[in-house]
Amino acid sequence: MANTKIIPSAQNAYEYPLLIKNLLVSGPRYNPDQEIVYANRSKYTYTDLVDRIHRLANALTDAGVGPGDVVAVMDWDTPRYLECFFAIPMIGAVLHTVNVRLSPEQIVYTMNHAEDHTVLVHDDFVPLLEQVSDQLTTVKGYVQLTDESEARSTSLNTIGEYEALLAKADNHFDFPDFDENSVATTFYTTGTTGNPKGVFFSHRQLVLHTMAQLGSLAASDEMPFMRSNTVYMPVTPMFHVHAWGVPYAATMLGIKQVYPGRYEPELLVDLIKEHKVTFSHCVPTIMQMMLATESIKTADLSNWHVLIGGSAMTEGLCRTGAKLGIRMYTGYGMSETCPLLASTRLKPEDLELPLEEQAPRRIRTGVAVPMVHIEIVDPEGNPLPHDGETKGELVCRAPWLTQGYFKEPEKGEALWEGGWLHTGDVASIDPDSTIQIRDRIKDVIKTGGEWLSSLDLENMISQHPAVNATAVVGVPDEKWGERPHALVQLIPGQEASLEDLQNHLKQFVDSGEINKWAIPEQIDFVDDIPKTSVGKINKKLIRDQLES
Amino acid sequence: MANTKIIPSAQNAYEYPLLIKNLLVSGPRYNPDQEIVYANRSKYTYTDLVDRIHRLANALTDAGVGPGDVVAVMDWDTPRYLECFFAIPMIGAVLHTVNVRLSPEQIVYTMNHAEDHTVLVHDDFVPLLEQVSDQLTTVKGYVQLTDESEARSTSLNTIGEYEALLAKADNHFDFPDFDENSVATTFYTTGTTGNPKGVFFSHRQLVLHTMAQLGSLAASDEMPFMRSNTVYMPVTPMFHVHAWGVPYAATMLGIKQVYPGRYEPELLVDLIKEHKVTFSHCVPTIMQMMLATESIKTADLSNWHVLIGGSAMTEGLCRTGAKLGIRMYTGYGMSETCPLLASTRLKPEDLELPLEEQAPRRIRTGVAVPMVHIEIVDPEGNPLPHDGETKGELVCRAPWLTQGYFKEPEKGEALWEGGWLHTGDVASIDPDSTIQIRDRIKDVIKTGGEWLSSLDLENMISQHPAVNATAVVGVPDEKWGERPHALVQLIPGQEASLEDLQNHLKQFVDSGEINKWAIPEQIDFVDDIPKTSVGKINKKLIRDQLES
């Protein structure tokens, strides 16, 4: 083990800042020889991970990166990225996880706004940066990342290639203690209006999020996150809220990790099979892609547990997965919340049901995790009853919420109105504390003087056997204010008409779940549902297209 | 749920202090109807627990207790005590958990030294306080705790009886936010020399200890702490390092808790049977007492997991428990460390062995828990290699270590020498990071120029089938410096001679674990091994008796 030197006496030796370096001590201790795998390319051990983090810290310092400097990463999901999750904040610098799916203009905007000092960039994104590098006003240099024997030749001002820099760097770095409130990471939300907004998290916040995440996952009868046979593979991009923070928790516990690189559905399924992956997390879109592969039909997925977040999981998706033995759970949070706020909590009696019949329980938003305070409020900020019926905006307090938006304090004021973080989600809370997100405030359809949840309607449409995916938005209507308008993507080879779907929805009218005016007159059958860069349904774009 | 009011806007709303009140939000949310049981007397739900904590906060405030005041508790292990664990720190006061097994003089010393303001006292300790109340210089009043229909009549200046005060108190208290570094609890170490020393822990420290404890317990394949069928019963007094902090973790997760009241071995075993207890923790002495009961022979204990700490667990004890199906683990820590530093980590291959044969793995000190930095050092503070052979003093850094001793900063200087907390334990660390405590520095026997671990020798003696308990100390010897001297308590009805035990020890000479000079010439057969007030072997007293 590196770094066994005794730390010099401090004035208050008992003071112990919550720094990301302290998340790294236990994993290599629990399992020094445990593997960290990079797709079908390479693998190494936790002992190697520590060695490489020390080398990366020295390489970056040698390249002139100092405390407070922002280091951007543009890479696929790789163990290199995991090393950056640790080494960059551990030297006191700030990790900027660049969303590589943004437009070149937005990427330039975020990199200038974050004041990136050094950029680690994968070959695949080098052409993009070559186009725009003259617009990047703060970048001093580039480190190249490659999966080939040689990095792509480039006109960028490169410091060197990652592996070569690590090879020649010293394998010991004295990671300093500093204020736990120092910013560790930043990234940009992918709002559908205006420029991306920068959120940022401190060392303290990431450490506390990691520890509470353990508590939440641990408080589950079923989710076997922390066992010696646990195999973890993230399927949420590492630029997307630090892959929901799970790589930190996995590393803290020393469990086997598999990084898939690019998200090619067949490759993902092959990795799950080969490494007997037990735990993943992803957005519904990616799950749909994996479920549509040929190879998934021959996989034993009865021990694969998947936390679904980013968008609401539909009952249809959960049931389709259950047919293959996949156990899905809902995770709830957002970029501004680091992200975890709540997750599915199944009761013993839920688990006694056949897996498919558990779907209605699994798609519920779930129960807030330890340390999180959560309420629903009316527009004046008054708390509303937890009766399972009353809907209000979900607000929260937790130790890991963004303070606001980087360099745009005025936007953070609305976010933090009244001392609670406002999620922009409409929810109800049951008497037993189970949260159910009903919709985004701005996606709720106001029709005939009442609120109709677009999510509820999507969920009902998704249960028609011919439907692969759907999106519902409100469109202006002179008589009713708004009317629901659905886009439907059918499963290839399947057929359904407007009338079929309307008839399908009548069962929910009969059961009292919706009124008959909730059934849309307008359903467009489409090849694709518009998505944002992180795979969420882009309702803003859908509304714009329908209006134009 | 109480306390659903929106907290008024703060200047920095995103700031979230780590306060004990925040450990209370999730348990009642996960399991509002989960039970908290008081022995064979009464039970209530988590919803009731929250209600009672609010009432207790109001009752104490009405009695004049304010932020910073010290509130002492003298009670058996009861749900009342759990309520005090929360309510007292949550109003900003300091909980003093009085060690009721100290002598009256020492109790007076600790209560005056801690400057107790109000004392919650069980009937059984009222006569003791009546004797000494005129020596208590800071106490303003007493709250009586009783298990009878009426509290004992007393000359103490009582404010009232606990249940009566709760009944008339308001069931809503607005628990304030304040600095997380505020002291939450204090108690006194039971050193064998000089006056007891006060250690103290902040809200932040207790919150972080709780969260890391979850991580440690979660990182175990076997210990089913956090399942809906988990039933927790502490068998370490609540005055003893907050029952090792586990009541906080259990409450945070909303699991069933059983408080046994007094430690009557037959009662403890009956409670384990009746409530199907799955998790407990205790010192070896208490385990020995429980194993010696008649009723344990007819209990199904195959799902009972017990963390053993306070003193080293011997292989003999672990094997005896294993014969009954009990799964024991080692927990390592001390009063100054809140206490958890390390615990047994079994590997999958360990668990494949028959339970009895797992004993040598289960008695190892284990692996340090997440966030804890640990080293072994020589007398000059230089780190020593982790080769499983080299012995040095165990030093640590963690987010939950006492700053020093209350009002005795000079004693804390040695504790924190060189910026690490010095445990006073001699240990080795294996290349795989497994810690093995070899002895207390002051208990190591220096004989013939070499160090002999008294713990190792005790462990070997304990494996003789006639031995119930043993203690080994070094006694001065002109020729060798020191020689080992053993006290042995035989199992009733069993016999063994000095020569039998010496012959038994020769196997460890043959296997190379000890040299032949480690075999003691002097073994006293005794009825009882002297113990401290918390059940540890009192080696200071044994040495004094042997020298006199």
Side-chain angles (χ1 to χ4, degrees):
Chain A
M1 272 284 294
N3 204 16
T4 56
K5 276 182 63 179
I6 295 292
I7 292 168
S9 176
Q11 189 163 10
N12 290 322
Y14 55 84
E15 284 178 14
Y16 183 110
L18 300 177
L19 299 176
I20 285 172
K21 70 173 180 179
N22 296 316
L23 295 178
L24 190 59
V25 295
S26 53
R29 226 156 44 190
Y30 283 139
N31 283 314
D33 301 326
Q34 184 65 278
E35 288 179 350
I36 295 170
V37 177
Y38 178 19
N40 42 14
R41 297 174 181 277
S42 59
K43 61 184 178 185
Y44 61 64
T45 68
Y46 270 69
T47 303
D48 299 329
L49 173 69
V50 173
D51 178 88
R52 289 171 60 88
I53 287 169
H54 280 256
R55 288 174 184 275
L56 176 55
N58 278 311
L60 290 171
T61 305
D62 294 346
V65 176
D69 288 338
V70 181
V71 179
V73 177
M74 300 175 76
D75 194 9
W76 304 108
D77 286 11
T78 69
R80 289 185 298 255
Y81 218 139
L82 181 67
E83 291 153 21
C84 293
F85 270 35
F86 284 93
I88 294 170
M90 281 166 67
I91 63 173
V94 178
L95 167 67
H96 174 194
T97 56
V98 178
N99 181 343
V100 295
R101 295 200 199 130
L102 292 178
S103 67
E105 294 72 27
Q106 285 182 311
I107 288 178
V108 169
Y109 172 83
T110 64
M111 294 178 76
N112 285 336
H113 191 265
E115 303 175 24
D116 292 344
H117 174 283
T118 298
V119 183
L120 280 64
V121 56
H122 187 278
D123 276 351
D124 290 354
F125 310 111
V126 164
L128 184 156
L129 285 191
E130 286 173 342
Q131 278 175 41
V132 300
S133 65
D134 60 339
Q135 301 169 48
L136 296 174
T137 52
T138 60
V139 175
K140 303 276 188 293
Y142 300 83
V143 173
Q144 282 191 269
L145 313 175
T146 185
D147 295 320
E148 309 303 326
S149 56
E150 212 168 317
R152 182 192 279 262
S153 92
T154 176
S155 62
L156 292 174
N157 173 27
T158 62
I159 296 155
E161 187 274 323
Y162 188 87
E163 291 297 333
L165 291 173
L166 260 59
K168 71 182 182 199
D170 192 86
N171 72 348
H172 177 76
F173 191 98
D174 263 324
F175 291 104
D177 269 4
F178 46 79
D179 187 334
E180 67 190 26
N181 294 306
S182 306
V183 176
T185 65
T186 186
F187 59 89
Y188 285 74
T189 63
T190 52
T192 44
T193 51
N195 279 321
K197 298 191 290 287
V199 297
F200 51 103
F201 298 98
S202 68
H203 283 257
R204 171 187 164 107
Q205 290 183 308
L206 286 166
V207 168
L208 293 173
H209 182 267
T210 303
M211 296 174 86
Q213 197 168 50
L214 288 189
S216 166
L217 292 169
S220 156
D221 272 23
E222 199 193 60
M223 216 178 330
F225 187 56
M226 292 147 293
R227 299 288 173 269
S228 51
N229 66 352
T230 297
V231 181
Y232 163 61
M233 182 173 84
V235 197
T236 309
M238 296 178 83
F239 67 72
H240 188 214
V241 207
H242 333 101
W244 303 353
V246 186
Y248 285 119
T251 305
M252 182 170 169
L253 292 176
I255 65 182
K256 179 169 173 176
Q257 303 183 51
V258 179
Y259 286 88
R262 292 169 191 75
Y263 287 179
E264 294 156 2
E266 294 280 352
L267 170 68
L268 293 174
V269 174
D270 286 348
L271 290 172
I272 293 161
K273 283 180 176 176
E274 182 184 346
H275 294 284
K276 298 185 172 53
V277 173
T278 62
F279 182 69
S280 293
H281 44 78
C282 65
V283 294
T285 311
I286 301 282
M287 179 56 85
Q288 272 162 350
M289 285 165 52
M290 288 191 278
L291 290 176
T293 60
E294 266 309 304
S295 55
I296 206 163
K297 292 172 189 160
T298 58
D300 173 10
L301 300 171
S302 59
N303 202 26
W304 190 36
H305 304 249
V306 188
L307 194 69
I308 301 285
S311 310
M313 166 165 51
T314 60
E315 189 167 333
L317 182 68
C318 190
R319 281 185 184 271
T320 305
K323 283 180 190 144
L324 294 166
I326 305 169
R327 286 153 206 278
M328 297 190 208
Y329 311 82
T330 299
Y332 171 66
M334 51 200 287
S335 297
E336 287 82 350
T337 64
C338 199
L340 191 63
L341 290 177
S343 67
T344 297
R345 179 167 173 86
L346 296 167
K347 296 176 181 168
E349 58 267 31
D350 297 334
L351 291 169
E352 280 166 19
L353 294 170
L355 190 56
E356 273 191 69
E357 290 173 34
Q358 295 172 17
R361 323 285 171 104
R362 291 176 178 272
I363 66 166
R364 307 205 65 191
T365 309
V367 179
V369 309
M371 310 288 289
V372 173
H373 296 257
I374 214 148
E375 281 301 337
I376 46 176
V377 296
D378 68 16
E380 285 73 46
N382 300 306
L384 295 169
H386 297 188
D387 57 12
E389 298 284 331
T390 310
K391 296 172 193 169
E393 184 177 11
L394 196 84
V395 297
C396 60
R397 295 189 72 239
W400 48 79
L401 308 178
T402 188
Q403 297 177 22
Y405 298 108
F406 187 49
K407 297 199 288 192
E408 299 183 292
E410 70 288 358
K411 290 185 183 164
E413 280 168 28
L415 187 72
W416 275 103
E417 199 181 325
W420 290 64
L421 186 139
H422 287 247
T423 62
D425 286 323
V426 175
S428 59
I429 303 180
D430 282 357
D432 76 354
S433 299
T434 305
I435 300 161
Q436 184 58 48
I437 301 296
R438 299 304 184 123
D439 217 337
R440 293 291 295 165
I441 282 185
K442 61 180 189 292
D443 293 337
V444 168
I445 299 160
K446 292 98 183 169
T447 183
E450 303 224 28
W451 281 14
L452 170 65
S453 160
S454 65
L455 289 187
D456 284 354
L457 204 51
E458 287 163 7
N459 197 34
M460 291 165 190
I461 296 172
S462 77
Q463 292 176 57
H464 188 283
V467 171
N468 188 38
T470 181
V472 175
V473 297
V475 293
D477 182 276
E478 280 195 18
K479 183 168 174 194
W480 301 102
E482 284 187 329
R483 288 297 298 149
H485 187 125
L487 304 195
V488 168
Q489 179 195 43
L490 296 175
I491 296 169
Q494 300 271 342
E495 287 187 20
S497 66
L498 169 64
E499 201 181 347
D500 291 339
L501 293 178
Q502 287 177 328
N503 283 333
H504 163 77
L505 289 175
K506 280 182 186 154
Q507 65 180 293
F508 302 103
V509 177
D510 295 343
S511 67
E513 291 173 71
I514 48 173
N515 286 312
K516 68 178 180 194
W517 42 257
I519 297 180
E521 299 82 27
Q522 294 169 299
I523 299 183
D524 297 346
F525 293 91
V526 297
D527 293 334
D528 262 318
I529 307 281
K531 299 270 167 43
T532 68
S533 65
V534 293
K536 297 184 192 189
I537 297 173
N538 192 337
K539 294 201 176 178
K540 170 79 165 51
L541 182 61
I542 294 171
R543 276 190 292 258
D544 288 351
Q545 287 173 346
L546 291 176
E547 280 172 30
S548 65
Chain B
M1 273 284 294
N3 204 15
T4 55
K5 276 181 64 182
I6 296 293
I7 292 168
S9 177
Q11 190 163 11
N12 291 322
Y14 55 85
E15 284 177 14
Y16 184 110
L18 300 177
L19 299 176
I20 285 172
K21 70 173 179 178
N22 296 316
L23 294 178
L24 190 59
V25 295
S26 52
R29 225 156 44 189
Y30 283 139
N31 284 314
D33 300 326
Q34 184 64 277
E35 288 179 352
I36 296 171
V37 177
Y38 178 19
N40 42 14
R41 297 173 181 276
S42 58
K43 61 183 179 185
Y44 61 63
T45 69
Y46 269 70
T47 302
D48 298 329
L49 173 68
V50 173
D51 178 88
R52 289 171 60 88
I53 287 170
H54 280 255
R55 289 173 184 274
L56 176 55
N58 278 311
L60 289 171
T61 305
D62 293 347
V65 176
D69 287 336
V70 181
V71 179
V73 177
M74 300 176 76
D75 194 8
W76 304 108
D77 287 11
T78 67
R80 288 185 298 254
Y81 218 140
L82 180 67
E83 292 153 20
C84 291
F85 270 36
F86 284 92
I88 294 170
M90 281 166 69
I91 62 173
V94 178
L95 168 67
H96 174 195
T97 56
V98 178
N99 181 343
V100 295
R101 296 201 197 127
L102 293 179
S103 68
E105 294 72 28
Q106 285 182 311
I107 288 177
V108 169
Y109 172 83
T110 64
M111 293 178 78
N112 284 337
H113 191 266
E115 303 174 24
D116 291 346
H117 174 282
T118 298
V119 183
L120 280 64
V121 56
H122 187 278
D123 277 350
D124 290 354
F125 310 112
V126 164
L128 184 156
L129 286 191
E130 285 173 342
Q131 278 176 41
V132 300
S133 65
D134 60 338
Q135 301 170 48
L136 296 174
T137 54
T138 60
V139 175
K140 302 278 186 294
Y142 300 85
V143 173
Q144 281 192 269
L145 313 174
T146 185
D147 295 320
E148 308 304 325
S149 55
E150 213 168 314
R152 183 191 278 263
S153 93
T154 177
S155 62
L156 292 174
N157 172 28
T158 62
I159 296 154
E161 187 274 324
Y162 188 86
E163 291 298 333
L165 291 173
L166 259 58
K168 70 181 181 198
D170 192 85
N171 72 348
H172 177 76
F173 191 97
D174 262 323
F175 290 105
D177 269 5
F178 46 78
D179 188 335
E180 67 190 25
N181 294 307
S182 307
V183 176
T185 65
T186 186
F187 59 89
Y188 284 74
T189 64
T190 52
T192 44
T193 51
N195 278 322
K197 298 192 290 287
V199 297
F200 51 103
F201 299 98
S202 67
H203 283 256
R204 171 186 164 106
Q205 291 184 307
L206 287 166
V207 168
L208 293 173
H209 182 268
T210 302
M211 295 176 86
Q213 197 168 48
L214 287 189
S216 166
L217 293 169
S220 156
D221 273 21
E222 200 193 57
M223 218 177 330
F225 185 56
M226 293 147 295
R227 299 288 173 269
S228 50
N229 65 351
T230 296
V231 181
Y232 163 61
M233 182 173 83
V235 196
T236 309
M238 295 177 84
F239 67 73
H240 188 215
V241 208
H242 331 102
W244 304 353
V246 186
Y248 285 119
T251 304
M252 182 170 167
L253 293 175
I255 63 182
K256 179 170 173 176
Q257 303 184 52
V258 179
Y259 287 88
R262 292 169 190 75
Y263 286 179
E264 293 156 2
E266 294 280 351
L267 170 68
L268 294 173
V269 174
D270 288 347
L271 290 171
I272 294 162
K273 283 180 177 176
E274 181 185 346
H275 294 284
K276 299 184 171 55
V277 173
T278 63
F279 182 69
S280 292
H281 44 78
C282 65
V283 294
T285 313
I286 299 282
M287 179 57 84
Q288 273 162 351
M289 285 165 52
M290 287 190 279
L291 291 176
T293 60
E294 266 309 302
S295 55
I296 206 163
K297 291 172 189 161
T298 57
D300 173 11
L301 300 171
S302 59
N303 202 26
W304 190 37
H305 304 250
V306 188
L307 194 69
I308 301 285
S311 311
M313 167 165 53
T314 60
E315 188 168 331
L317 183 68
C318 190
R319 280 184 185 273
T320 305
K323 282 181 191 144
L324 295 167
I326 305 170
R327 288 153 205 277
M328 297 190 207
Y329 312 81
T330 299
Y332 172 66
M334 51 200 290
S335 297
E336 287 81 351
T337 65
C338 200
L340 192 63
L341 291 177
S343 67
T344 297
R345 180 168 171 86
L346 296 167
K347 297 177 179 168
E349 57 267 32
D350 297 334
L351 291 169
E352 280 166 19
L353 295 171
L355 190 56
E356 273 190 68
E357 290 173 35
Q358 295 172 17
R361 323 284 171 102
R362 291 176 179 272
I363 67 167
R364 308 204 63 191
T365 310
V367 179
V369 308
M371 310 288 290
V372 173
H373 295 258
I374 214 148
E375 282 302 336
I376 46 176
V377 296
D378 68 17
E380 284 74 47
N382 300 308
L384 296 169
H386 297 188
D387 57 12
E389 299 283 333
T390 310
K391 296 173 196 169
E393 184 177 11
L394 196 83
V395 297
C396 60
R397 295 189 72 239
W400 48 79
L401 309 177
T402 188
Q403 297 177 20
Y405 298 107
F406 187 49
K407 295 198 290 192
E408 299 183 295
E410 71 289 356
K411 290 185 183 165
E413 281 168 26
L415 186 73
W416 274 104
E417 199 181 324
W420 290 64
L421 186 140
H422 287 247
T423 62
D425 286 323
V426 175
S428 60
I429 302 181
D430 282 358
D432 76 354
S433 300
T434 305
I435 300 162
Q436 184 58 49
I437 300 296
R438 300 303 185 125
D439 217 337
R440 293 292 294 166
I441 281 184
K442 62 181 189 292
D443 293 337
V444 168
I445 299 159
K446 293 98 184 171
T447 183
E450 303 224 28
W451 280 13
L452 170 64
S453 160
S454 65
L455 288 187
D456 285 353
L457 204 52
E458 287 164 7
N459 197 32
M460 292 165 190
I461 296 171
S462 78
Q463 291 176 56
H464 189 283
V467 172
N468 187 39
T470 180
V472 175
V473 298
V475 293
D477 182 277
E478 281 196 17
K479 183 168 176 196
W480 300 104
E482 283 187 329
R483 287 297 297 148
H485 188 123
L487 304 195
V488 168
Q489 180 195 43
L490 295 175
I491 295 168
Q494 302 270 344
E495 287 187 19
S497 67
L498 169 64
E499 201 181 346
D500 291 339
L501 292 179
Q502 287 176 327
N503 283 334
H504 163 77
L505 290 174
K506 280 182 186 154
Q507 66 179 292
F508 302 104
V509 177
D510 296 342
S511 67
E513 291 172 72
I514 49 173
N515 286 311
K516 67 177 181 196
W517 43 258
I519 297 179
E521 299 83 25
Q522 295 167 299
I523 299 183
D524 297 346
F525 294 90
V526 297
D527 293 334
D528 262 316
I529 307 281
K531 299 271 166 46
T532 68
S533 66
V534 293
K536 297 184 191 189
I537 296 173
N538 192 337
K539 293 202 175 178
K540 170 79 167 48
L541 182 62
I542 295 171
R543 277 190 291 258
D544 288 350
Q545 286 173 348
L546 291 175
E547 279 172 30
S548 65

